[in-house]
Amino acid sequence: MPTSKSESYVLILHEVDDYAAWKAVFDAAAGLRKAAGELSFQVLSADSDANQVAHISRWRSLDAARRFFESPELVEIRRQAGVRAPRFIYLDERDRGDL
C-alpha cells in the first residue's frame, strides 16, 4: 500500500576497524542522533564480515539528517569510531508494502 506521506531515510555504507568498538560509539551517540531528528534505525552487517556495516535510519527530514551527518562533530565521532570511507545515500520513500 502506498504511503500518504513521504518518509525520509539515510543509508550509510561503511567499513569499520572493529564492529564492537564502532557499535559502542554508535550507541553512545543515540541521544545526539535523536536530538538531531533521527526517528529510528537499523544496523546490518555483511554475513561474511561484521566490519562491513549498513546503517539505515529514518529522519524527521533529509535537511536535518544532512546537517547532522555533515557536522564537524560527527566527522570527529566517525574518526574516533574507526569508520572508513562512509557513503551516504539520502532517500525519500516512494512506496511501502508487506507481502
Side-chain angles (χ1 to χ4, degrees):
M1 175 188 323
T3 59
S4 57
K5 178 185 176 291
S6 177
E7 302 258 352
S8 298
Y9 293 86
V10 180
L11 169 61
I12 307 167
L13 303 171
H14 51 72
E15 185 175 350
V16 298
D17 292 334
D18 176 83
Y19 178 82
W22 171 83
K23 186 67 165 70
V25 174
F26 177 83
D27 290 345
L32 291 174
R33 298 191 332 264
K34 183 176 181 177
E38 185 179 58
L39 303 172
S40 64
F41 72 90
Q42 186 174 10
V43 173
L44 304 103
S45 63
D47 66 344
S48 60
D49 182 357
N51 293 330
Q52 296 291 326
V53 176
H55 167 206
I56 303 168
S57 54
R58 186 169 57 94
W59 283 79
R60 184 175 61 236
S61 73
L62 290 182
D63 287 339
R66 280 189 180 95
R67 279 192 305 274
F68 179 72
F69 287 120
E70 295 171 10
S71 71
E73 181 179 20
L74 251 290
V75 170
E76 178 59 18
I77 287 172
R78 282 193 300 272
R79 187 193 67 72
Q80 291 174 6
V83 172
R84 294 191 300 262
R87 179 173 175 218
F88 295 86
I89 304 169
Y90 296 93
L91 304 162
D92 285 319
E93 181 178 70
R94 302 293 180 205
D95 197 5
R96 178 191 316 204
D98 293 317
L99 300 176

